[in-house]
Amino acid sequence: MTPPALRFPRPLRPGDRIGVTSPSAGASGAAATRIAFSVDWLRDRGFDVVVGECMDGTGLTSAPAPQRAAELTRMLADPDIACVVPPWGGETAIDLVDLLDWDVLAEAEPTWLVGFSDISTLLVPVTTRLGWATLHGDNLADTPYAVPDGLLHWLELASGPGPFEQHDSRLVADWVRFEQEPHATEWPRVGAGGWDVEGGGAVDVSGRLVGGCIETISHLAGTPYGDVRGWAERLDEPTIVYVEACEDHAVDICRYLHSLRLAGWFDRAAAVLVGRTSAPDHPQLTQRGAVLDALGRLDLPIVWDLEIGHVPPHLPLVNGALARVEVDGDLRRITQTLG
């Protein structure tokens, strides 16, 4: 039986159990100190946090793929765990997408899965295969940071149906090295930025959100684990696709976006949101040029420089949420409703 196209996990409340596991990279040294601090931060806010066995940070991944897949399946299917959040992303979460027990998960109640970067590799199939809403937001290591004006914490979006309104924060921040300060809670400001619309003018569109890190989700295109076109057809609603580049140069980003386009990711899209990036340009192609080369032919509104990626701070987005995006003069707003 085909799972419903969309189901939302129950609202997260203090006292609920949060599972911590590393489906991709684990933590060691100063990073492990940061993760321990972040676990305590959640516990101080009343959550019952359980830490799994797949947390080793000495290798590329926290454990062999079958072990990581089994632990993630167990946590997501456990009715006593309301939310699963990884320490951060990594490089090769794609090695476990076909090892998750999808039949077991299809019989379980939806559980919040939170994260970004390589965790996008898991958020997309959990949403498109199971119909579970997933939360593209801070990983565990970033969860203790104070939220800038205009944005919301991912815990708030997981707490109820909304509507949740967020605005352009105008903040461009930088990362704090764990070796320097493993207990940081304030993003260091390095500049100012702002959303803008390709070609100028105004945008006011609505649709179901889906997307993630270009470098990881593009490798799901054309597989059973990245069938955004099929999911959108089952929804029979417009989508809003969001993408963000981590570190690959513009030529690779261009290729990846063409791959998503050819796989039908934008067939039902009402707009595309593009995250702020520090990824390098190619001598003959900028990062914006890469997006326009692949997606400019689609005649869709493109909104640039949202806080949804590897340049902090972070604007959390719920895959599956009904979002309204408004950009008109000084108005820069995204409103999400979970239902």
Side-chain angles (χ1 to χ4, degrees):
M1 179 169 52
T2 302
L6 193 56
R7 293 191 292 165
F8 290 89
R10 66 174 178 81
L12 188 64
R13 298 282 186 263
D16 283 342
R17 180 166 294 172
I18 295 177
V20 175
T21 184
S22 302
S24 188
S28 62
T33 302
R34 175 65 182 185
I35 295 308
F37 169 73
S38 301
V39 167
D40 288 341
W41 188 93
L42 284 172
R43 287 173 174 159
D44 288 344
R45 279 143 188 84
F47 293 101
D48 175 18
V49 183
V50 293
V51 180
E53 297 180 358
C54 299
M55 293 292 292
D56 180 36
T58 59
L60 182 67
T61 60
S62 65
Q67 185 179 346
R68 285 180 282 125
E71 182 161 278
L72 181 58
T73 298
R74 177 180 60 78
M75 285 190 174
L76 289 175
D78 187 338
D80 293 328
I81 293 179
C83 175
V84 177
V85 59
W88 42 58
E91 304 294 339
T92 60
I94 197 168
D95 67 357
L96 58 69
V97 294
D98 59 337
L99 298 177
L100 295 172
D101 195 326
W102 294 101
D103 291 334
V104 166
L105 294 177
E107 295 297 322
E109 290 300 312
T111 297
W112 283 113
L113 180 60
V114 183
F116 80 108
S117 192
D118 199 26
I119 304 306
S120 298
T121 321
L122 304 171
L123 300 181
V124 167
V126 167
T127 294
T128 58
R129 285 178 67 88
L130 297 176
W132 295 8
T134 55
L135 216 163
H136 184 272
D138 287 315
N139 295 312
L140 178 59
D142 307 322
T143 290
Y145 279 105
V147 178
D149 289 344
L151 306 184
L152 298 173
H153 199 282
W154 70 259
L155 285 169
E156 187 166 352
L157 268 74
S159 69
F164 298 106
E165 184 176 302
Q166 298 181 86
H167 300 261
D168 185 352
S169 73
R170 310 293 300 180
L171 172 63
V172 178
D174 199 2
W175 303 97
V176 177
R177 294 182 62 84
F178 303 143
E179 295 82 359
Q180 297 172 332
E181 179 47 83
H183 303 141
T185 57
E186 295 288 338
W187 291 113
R189 174 183 289 271
V190 296
W195 312 356
D196 66 282
V197 178
E198 174 61 29
V203 166
D204 186 349
V205 296
S206 297
R208 296 286 176 179
L209 288 165
V210 66
C213 177
I214 300 169
E215 288 97 324
T216 74
I217 59 176
S218 62
H219 301 291
L220 299 173
T223 78
Y225 307 98
D227 186 10
V228 168
R229 175 166 53 189
W231 176 71
E233 288 174 350
R234 295 199 308 277
L235 282 174
D236 196 25
E237 296 182 63
T239 61
I240 294 176
V241 181
Y242 63 92
V243 291
E244 61 93 9
C246 172
E247 61 185 4
D248 284 6
H249 66 66
V251 168
D252 281 340
I253 296 300
C254 182
R255 294 190 189 107
Y256 301 153
L257 288 172
H258 275 292
S259 177
L260 295 179
R261 177 182 62 81
L262 293 168
W265 274 50
F266 305 96
D267 286 4
R268 294 287 185 111
V272 179
L273 311 182
V274 182
R276 188 172 297 141
T277 186
S278 58
D281 295 334
H282 182 273
Q284 296 173 309
L285 185 68
T286 66
Q287 288 286 335
R288 285 202 178 194
V291 175
L292 293 175
D293 185 272
L295 307 184
R297 67 181 70 181
L298 299 178
D299 194 30
L300 291 172
I302 297 175
V303 184
W304 302 101
D305 280 348
L306 280 78
E307 305 95 321
I308 55 174
H310 284 78
V311 176
H314 296 137
L315 185 161
L317 297 174
V318 174
N319 289 318
L322 180 60
R324 181 181 181 186
V325 178
E326 302 164 273
V327 184
D328 187 0
D330 292 335
L331 174 64
R332 296 177 175 88
R333 176 171 62 198
I334 181 168
T335 306
Q336 299 176 71
T337 304
L338 280 57

